Amino acid sequence: MNFQPRSGSRPRSLLLCAAVALAVAGVAVAAPADAPATVAPSNAQLASPQIERKVDALLAKMTLAEKIGQLMQYNDQGSSAPTAADAGAAIAVNPETRDHVDAYDLAKKGELGSMLNVIGADKTRRFQEAAMHSRLGIPILFGADVIHGYRTIYPVPLGLSASWDPQLVQDVSHMSAVEATTGGVKWFYSPMVDISRDARWGRSTEGAGEDAFLGSAMARAYIRGYQGTDLSRPDSVAASVKHFAAYGAAEAGREYNTTDMSDIRLRQIYLPPYKAAVEAGAATMMSSFNALNGVPATADPYLMTDILRKEWGFDGFVVSDYTAIMELTHHGIALDAATATKKALEAGVEVDMMSHFYDTQIPKLLKEGKLSMATVDEAVRRVLRVKFALGLFEHPYARGTEVTQAVDAHRPLARRAAEESFVLLKNGGAGQAPLLPLSSSVKKLALIGPLADDASEMQGAWGGAQHLPDVVTLRGGLAARMKKLGGELLYAKGTDVLTDSQAGFAAAKQAAAQADVVVMALGESSSMSGEAGSRAHLDLPGNQQQLLEAIVATGKPVVLLAFSGRPLVLDWADQHVGAIMETWFPGTEAGNAVANVLFGDVAPSGKLTMSFPRAVGQEPLYYNQFPTGRPAGDADLSKPPAGDTRFISRYIDVPNSALYPFGYGLSYTTFDYSGVQLSRKRVPLAEANRSGAKDLVTVTATVKNTGKRAGTEVVQLYVRNLGASVEQPVRSLQGFQRVTLKAGESRQVTFKLGFPELSFYNVKSQPVVEPTHYTVWVGGSSLATQQADFDVTP
């Protein structure tokens, strides 16, 4: 594996200090574990003979009703049925299901296996005590949508991935586990590892972007952060990797839509992050809403059994997404609840999330001989394995003092996560001097925009159990900074995120006219990304573009802060605004983090993990495209082709290239690359095809800080394979490192290429290396130019 934490001596002291602080408060915590890349600790636990003996003994005592209960998930519903809106407007309440069942009564009878988004020490204890006093005392597993923080919120996952810092991801993930377990939550519906190449898809905000290599690195980091090396520790939670599989390829970027792709593309691009999570020890998986090649994932034995269990050796359990089993009838592959239940359970989906089909249909299917008891027992076995591994039988209740708001000791880590996530997209250029960092001599700073002073919008989609008074807004952070500098912050909202009213424009222009510099806080609202947040347009919503143009027309220097959960179309801003920084949704410490970066306390180091388009018509857009038989060329894709070049793969109205490509991001300093060297020019084919080969070619390069201040660069390694039996991308990321350099400092970086980096899937869906020609590039983005070449020879 070719990623490394940032160079230098950045210890994990921040998180350890937070752990100490929580321990003093009575919260049981442990420092996160540093599991090496080759260890799968949680899978080892799930497959342990000791746990299997416990499962066998318990399974032998269980009644059918108790077994089925372990496969069911409820929220804390009581005697009244949920409305259709609870499950989405398109989902009707089915009379065959148990919508009127009281979950607490099920718990008392030992017929409730898990609960959805039931959080808080008192509430979870009430249900758990009922379960523990049932006949067999099997504990309930409480799961929640903890996606990017529990009480202390850090950046949305797409923003966090822009840090290219797996150790940071591991640290903040552990932080959220430390907090959530004090409220009884031991199961996170996270990480989402879907590859997303279409910014129209709202759930792009939940993942790590468009690249399989980076996505795999992030997947491993989340699992280590959540689960550590021992699931039974009080501060460990079981991860639920989602959405299996290929949900990020939903057609037209539309939520819940179908996907269709070759097995080669599935295995080479979309499956690697899931596989990496399983290898890191993920305890559970979540099936996706989409159909893949005509088969809904929730009823797909190829995914759930052949690949996940037989190929990858997964020993945990699979939970459906919300009502996904019931939705098999909407997909049209099941005419009734019984058929949907049979198809999902036999495919390998053990837990029914909120469809309530399993508890009504399994007894009938068994009685009619349409379902085997062995299938039911195997499903129950997998659920019990996870519960034993989590130590729930010994410690079923939340421990320590419950965390009910952001933890002060966790703020430095959340703030650093935000700072590392910001991507500087533009800073001067075309004869203009850099506008950032802002000088301390700025006496009047205008802050304008609908996202400048809204605590709820700093959280982003899936904001956890957030406590809004804890949030430092942009206005709060910059006001404190200007006061410290003896200056003044002028504020005007200007407009709302979604409106045509220009009532606030005059006040905004007045504030700009009085200021030395204007900071514009524009973008999406948090509800515009995430689940059900697909957009057909990717520009600034409402009349924010008109506000931006009006402020630029004042002639004052303008810094645009773009808040979003996806790439936006910023083509006009790129041509007319002095500086642009993508800030995503930064979380609890948003205002402080932005102030630190704007005024240069911290130099931006984020790099994009999704390509930013020039126009929405380019979507889906990604850097590792295939060349085609009539390629537009690799030289300069930033301009439309000139001359007699109509009959090539291109648009006639915009360039093919991204406005801001994958891996791109500026700093307050500059970096130069040189001296790309290879350890060998030829690799024998027999040696290359050893699946365990990890050091076939060593790549070295020199990176130098050529600016006047220290900075952190994400050094990226890309590979192209020419001459293969199956067409390969124009380049693919196969390594990265975060490197911090002082002004004028140089450092040699090293990457190792082995079978995983050089292989591809052939027409038989087998990973192979063939006798072909390879080019490698090392640089600061997917447009790296410093290269070297080698061959794999017969």
Side-chain angles (χ1 to χ4, degrees):
M1 195 163 103
N2 281 321
F3 72 81
Q4 297 180 11
R6 178 173 60 187
S7 299
S9 56
R10 197 254 294 169
R12 298 159 65 209
S13 57
L14 288 173
L15 191 53
L16 295 177
C17 288
V20 171
L22 285 177
V24 171
V27 180
V29 298
D34 287 313
T38 56
V39 174
S42 303
N43 267 342
Q45 292 178 65
L46 296 178
S48 76
Q50 182 182 10
I51 285 181
E52 209 66 10
R53 286 192 294 270
K54 292 179 179 179
V55 170
D56 287 340
L58 183 55
L59 195 58
K61 300 175 185 178
M62 296 174 70
T63 66
L64 178 59
E66 289 165 337
K67 290 178 180 179
I68 294 173
Q70 293 305 303
L71 311 182
M72 289 303 306
Q73 184 170 87
Y74 282 80
N75 56 22
D76 59 350
Q77 68 192 58
S79 58
S80 60
T83 66
D86 291 325
I91 301 172
V93 175
N94 192 306
E96 285 193 84
T97 68
R98 302 176 72 185
D99 290 322
H100 293 271
V101 168
D102 190 306
Y104 185 70
D105 287 341
L106 288 178
K108 289 192 295 183
K109 292 188 292 185
E111 297 176 8
L112 181 58
S114 60
M115 299 195 76
L116 170 70
N117 287 332
V118 175
I119 64 173
D122 290 341
K123 183 176 286 189
T124 56
R125 188 176 189 92
R126 175 175 178 266
F127 283 99
Q128 196 70 287
E129 284 180 340
M132 297 309 292
H133 287 92
S134 66
R135 187 178 76 90
L136 294 176
I138 302 175
I140 295 170
L141 178 56
F142 295 97
D145 290 301
V146 180
I147 309 300
H148 54 108
Y150 180 66
R151 302 290 191 186
T152 311
I153 310 301
Y154 45 88
V156 292
L158 183 61
L160 192 61
S161 73
S163 70
W164 295 60
D165 191 343
Q167 183 62 57
L168 174 66
V169 172
Q170 179 175 332
D171 288 350
V172 293
S173 300
H174 180 73
M175 178 185 78
S176 62
V178 166
E179 294 184 2
T181 50
T182 69
V185 178
K186 290 288 287 184
W187 186 22
F188 286 1
Y189 305 126
S190 175
M192 191 202 88
V193 302
D194 298 318
I195 295 298
S196 176
R197 294 173 156 190
D198 193 332
R200 293 173 296 179
W201 190 50
R203 302 197 82 160
S204 298
T205 192
E206 297 178 46
E210 67 190 54
D211 183 75
F213 185 89
L214 179 68
S216 297
M218 294 301 176
R220 283 185 283 264
Y222 278 109
I223 300 305
R224 293 179 192 139
Y226 292 151
Q227 299 189 173
T229 56
D230 185 353
L231 275 170
S232 68
R233 296 180 75 125
D235 57 351
S236 291
V237 299
S240 185
V241 182
K242 61 186 189 184
H243 308 84
F244 195 62
Y247 193 26
E251 284 187 2
R254 195 171 73 243
E255 189 70 88
Y256 315 119
N257 205 7
T258 191
T259 64
D260 200 291
M261 65 180 64
S262 68
D263 200 58
I264 291 176
R265 174 164 287 196
L266 176 69
R267 290 178 177 273
Q268 193 149 313
I269 302 299
Y270 289 90
L271 289 187
Y274 306 107
K275 186 172 187 284
V278 170
E279 291 172 344
T284 78
M285 300 280 281
M286 181 183 290
S287 66
S288 57
F289 284 123
N290 62 290
L292 176 64
N293 300 333
V295 182
T298 303
D300 192 345
Y302 177 63
L303 289 176
M304 303 300 166
T305 298
D306 295 347
I307 294 177
L308 182 60
R309 291 175 171 83
K310 293 180 180 178
E311 290 187 26
W312 298 353
F314 177 68
D315 291 311
F317 69 81
V318 175
V319 59
S320 77
D321 210 333
Y322 199 104
T323 68
I325 295 174
M326 185 265 284
E327 292 169 35
L328 294 178
T329 61
H330 296 178
H331 281 283
I333 70 158
L335 297 178
D336 51 38
T339 305
T341 296
K342 175 180 169 62
K343 287 194 172 186
L345 194 59
E346 290 185 338
V349 177
E350 281 81 23
V351 175
D352 175 358
M353 180 188 284
M354 297 300 292
S355 289
H356 311 327
F357 272 17
Y358 279 10
D359 37 359
T360 59
Q361 304 305 313
I362 287 177
K364 292 193 298 184
L365 290 167
L366 289 170
K367 185 177 180 180
E368 295 169 359
K370 296 179 180 178
L371 184 71
S372 71
M373 182 58 74
T375 299
V376 175
D377 284 349
E378 175 61 18
V380 177
R381 177 181 301 279
R382 288 176 174 272
V383 173
L384 294 178
R385 276 182 194 150
V386 173
K387 291 187 174 184
F388 277 115
L390 281 168
L392 286 178
F393 286 85
E394 296 79 14
H395 299 287
Y397 308 113
R399 288 185 277 178
T401 302
E402 184 175 2
V403 174
T404 58
Q405 62 186 70
V407 178
D408 285 344
H410 286 170
R411 285 182 179 272
L413 182 60
R415 183 167 60 250
R416 184 166 62 80
E419 293 163 354
E420 286 194 18
S421 75
F422 299 156
V423 183
L424 185 60
L425 300 175
K426 181 185 179 184
N427 194 18
Q432 297 179 344
L435 184 53
L436 297 177
L438 295 177
S439 170
S440 59
S441 64
V442 172
K443 296 305 179 185
K444 287 190 176 183
L445 182 68
L447 175 62
I448 299 171
L451 297 168
D453 194 30
D454 192 325
S456 64
E457 296 293 8
M458 294 299 98
Q459 308 299 287
W462 302 112
Q466 57 190 350
H467 183 244
L468 292 182
D470 296 332
V471 178
V472 181
T473 66
L474 191 55
R475 184 181 184 184
L478 289 178
R481 176 56 63 99
M482 292 305 294
K483 182 179 180 180
K484 182 178 179 181
L485 294 174
E488 181 183 2
L489 181 70
L490 308 172
Y491 165 72
K493 185 176 182 180
T495 189
D496 292 317
V497 172
L498 278 172
T499 186
D500 293 328
S501 172
Q502 296 188 5
F505 277 33
K509 288 190 285 187
Q510 183 178 8
Q514 300 175 55
D516 301 316
V517 177
V518 180
V519 173
M520 302 285 290
L522 307 178
E524 300 180 315
S525 68
S526 58
S527 63
M528 295 180 72
S529 57
E531 185 172 0
S534 297
R535 293 183 63 193
H537 301 282
L538 297 178
D539 48 2
L540 294 171
N543 62 2
Q544 293 181 77
Q545 179 65 34
Q546 287 82 358
L547 176 63
L548 176 62
E549 292 179 18
I551 300 303
V552 169
T554 67
K556 292 300 178 75
V558 174
V559 177
L560 171 61
L561 302 179
F563 291 83
S564 67
R566 53 157 61 85
L568 299 176
V569 173
L570 300 173
D571 194 51
W572 187 92
D574 181 70
Q575 298 175 47
H576 297 92
V577 175
I580 306 173
M581 188 162 70
E582 173 62 53
T583 49
W584 317 104
F585 293 107
T588 302
E589 281 288 299
N592 290 332
V594 168
N596 287 347
V597 175
L598 286 184
F599 282 93
D601 301 350
V602 177
S605 60
K607 300 278 189 172
L608 295 179
T609 58
M610 284 189 75
S611 302
F612 273 48
R614 300 172 185 273
V616 70
Q618 291 179 287
E619 296 294 338
L621 178 66
Y622 46 95
Y623 82 96
N624 50 344
Q625 58 190 283
F626 290 97
T628 83
R630 294 190 177 188
D634 296 331
D636 185 4
L637 298 181
S638 64
K639 300 177 182 177
D644 187 19
T645 54
R646 182 177 182 87
F647 299 103
I648 58 176
S649 180
R650 61 148 186 170
Y651 300 102
I652 63 173
D653 48 358
V654 297
N656 286 3
S657 64
L659 178 63
Y660 305 120
F662 176 86
Y664 171 83
L666 303 175
S667 177
Y668 291 156
T669 187
T670 53
F671 299 94
D672 180 67
Y673 289 86
S674 62
V676 178
Q677 300 290 329
L678 305 176
S679 61
R680 60 204 300 194
K681 287 289 189 178
R682 290 178 176 78
V683 179
L685 180 62
E687 181 182 351
N689 260 312
R690 288 186 291 108
S691 61
K694 297 180 180 179
D695 188 7
L696 295 172
V697 177
T698 299
V699 183
T700 57
T702 298
V703 57
K704 181 179 181 179
N705 182 343
T706 55
K708 297 180 180 180
R709 60 167 291 166
T712 297
E713 172 74 329
V714 179
V715 182
Q716 302 160 46
L717 170 73
Y718 293 88
V719 174
R720 184 175 189 181
N721 181 0
L722 286 172
S725 59
V726 176
E727 188 177 59
Q728 297 302 300
V730 293
R731 60 178 68 187
S732 295
L733 179 73
Q734 295 298 340
F736 63 90
Q737 298 179 28
R738 282 179 62 90
V739 178
T740 299
L741 299 172
K742 300 176 183 177
E745 182 181 5
S746 298
R747 185 170 304 163
Q748 188 178 76
V749 293
T750 301
F751 299 96
K752 294 184 182 299
L753 297 175
F755 181 84
E757 291 79 22
L758 301 182
S759 61
F760 62 92
Y761 283 89
N762 63 16
V763 292
K764 297 181 180 180
S765 295
Q766 299 169 329
V768 297
V769 175
E770 294 177 348
T772 57
H773 180 77
Y774 288 85
T775 301
V776 299
W777 293 268
V778 179
S781 79
S782 56
L783 299 182
T785 58
Q786 296 296 308
Q787 70 181 68
D789 299 85
F790 69 93
D791 294 285
V792 173
T793 57

